[in-house]
Amino acid sequence: MLRLGRREFGTHEPVIMAIVNRTPDSFYDQGATFRDEPALARVEQAVAEGAAIIDIGGVKAGPGEEVTAEEEARRTVGFVAEVRRRFPDVVISVDTWRHEVGEAVCEAGADLLNDAWGGVDPRLAEVAARYGVGLVCTHAGGAEPRTRPHRVAYDDVMADILRVTVGLAERAVELGVPRESVLIDPGHDFGKNTRHSLEATRRLGEMTATGWPVLVSLSNKDFVGETLDKPVKERVLGTLATTAVSAWLGAQVYRVHEVAETRQVLDMVASIAGHRAPAVARRGLA
């Protein structure tokens, strides 16, 4: 059982985490949800299309203009509070690596801290424990926040992913983070080249076999673009193919831009796997 905020999710229940970037320079939407009104409209649409989690980020992952902790908090804290007011049952996640921001958004009503940079600030897990919120434990290959990988190498990329993510998850539980609210994430593209991310996907079953719920953040990433030689705006089909494979291998939470399309893919895979009944079953029966 995965428990986040007011929600509980069964073992075979796929969960969509919709991305809402409060940044003017995000790689995919180029600041489309930087202002409050379009960002709130995005939340409303994502929830209507089947997202159970809203992931709010105040700093883009890649290199760019410096964003201080104060500015990151300015972009996210008030927005978290407003989403909490308007959508009391939605799970609110905040994508941050800084404990100061984590503390501020938890005070505002966040349910989950999405640490995409692999515990670079160890105090973030302490914040999650103190507030009793969830934590995403990600493999970033030891990379510093907002840096791109350069000639990174692993003897065995999945062995390193397991060592890091399971270690971070166990530490979080020891600190007091609820066991049922901790997820692990292979960190596609983070501290990895395209071949590493493809191998992480191919071997995702090794992560799900640990018993920790697995989150994957695949949406329109560079490993999809390089694999198919497609620019950012033409990576949806590759993303959905990778989503289907990840679902078959047991990932549970999917951080995405395209909510409705992802919902169909996840429902189809769940039905093929026997975890979900068809929405309609008339063929051959009438």
Side-chain angles (χ1 to χ4, degrees):
M1 181 68 68
L2 174 63
R3 183 176 290 111
L4 299 170
R6 299 183 181 184
R7 301 287 300 274
E8 292 184 351
F9 305 96
T11 303
H12 297 296
E13 183 178 356
V15 182
I16 293 178
M17 169 190 274
I19 300 166
V20 179
N21 288 316
R22 304 307 317 283
T23 60
D25 53 358
S26 51
F27 89 99
Y28 187 64
D29 61 32
Q30 297 297 305
T33 54
F34 184 47
R35 293 186 301 108
D36 287 349
E37 288 186 10
L40 288 167
R42 161 69 175 163
V43 173
E44 185 172 6
Q45 178 186 12
V47 171
E49 290 177 347
I53 307 172
I54 301 298
D55 190 50
I56 299 164
V59 186
K60 79 169 187 175
E65 185 176 330
E66 181 185 2
V67 179
T68 64
E70 292 76 17
E71 173 61 16
E72 183 184 356
R74 189 191 68 79
R75 295 176 179 184
T76 56
V77 175
F79 188 71
V80 167
E82 183 61 17
V83 173
R84 177 83 294 149
R85 186 183 72 81
R86 296 194 187 195
F87 303 91
D89 294 326
V90 77
V91 178
I92 299 177
S93 169
V94 176
D95 181 352
T96 186
W97 74 87
R98 292 166 164 150
H99 77 273
E100 306 98 322
V101 176
E103 183 138 16
V105 297
C106 285
E107 286 284 348
D111 305 300
L112 177 65
L113 297 175
N114 181 12
D115 181 9
W117 290 102
V120 68
D121 181 348
R123 295 176 66 184
L124 187 64
E126 297 172 11
V127 171
R130 189 159 61 253
Y131 284 89
V133 303
L135 183 68
V136 179
C137 300
T138 307
H139 180 273
E144 288 295 314
R146 307 193 66 194
T147 61
R148 299 195 188 281
H150 179 68
R151 299 192 183 281
V152 62
Y154 300 94
D155 292 333
D156 183 328
V157 66
M158 182 50 75
D160 204 70
I161 289 170
L162 292 172
R163 177 184 62 82
V164 171
T165 58
V166 171
L168 289 171
E170 290 175 345
R171 175 180 180 266
V173 172
E174 289 172 1
L175 288 170
V177 180
R179 169 65 175 79
E180 63 274 15
S181 302
V182 176
L183 304 99
I184 59 174
D185 176 354
H188 289 81
D189 275 0
F190 281 61
K192 299 171 188 67
N193 61 33
T194 289
R195 288 185 175 85
H196 293 144
S197 292
L198 290 172
E199 183 172 352
T201 306
R202 187 164 58 248
R203 297 175 61 185
L204 200 66
E206 295 175 44
M207 289 193 77
T208 60
T210 65
W212 297 96
V214 174
L215 179 151
V216 287
S217 183
L218 312 167
S219 196
N220 302 294
K221 282 193 167 178
D222 285 348
F223 83 97
V224 175
E226 287 194 356
T227 298
L228 301 176
D229 194 17
K230 295 293 183 183
V232 169
K233 294 298 184 179
E234 297 178 23
R235 298 175 184 177
V236 175
L237 290 177
T239 296
L240 295 176
T242 313
T243 297
V245 171
S246 300
W248 189 257
L249 293 174
Q252 185 166 16
V253 180
Y254 300 80
R255 183 178 180 273
V256 305
H257 297 97
E258 286 80 21
V259 175
E261 295 86 341
T262 303
R263 181 78 271 163
Q264 288 190 44
V265 169
L266 295 177
D267 285 350
M268 193 70 199
V269 173
S271 295
I272 293 169
H275 303 314
R276 173 187 178 273
V280 177
R282 292 189 293 262
R283 182 173 175 80
L285 300 176

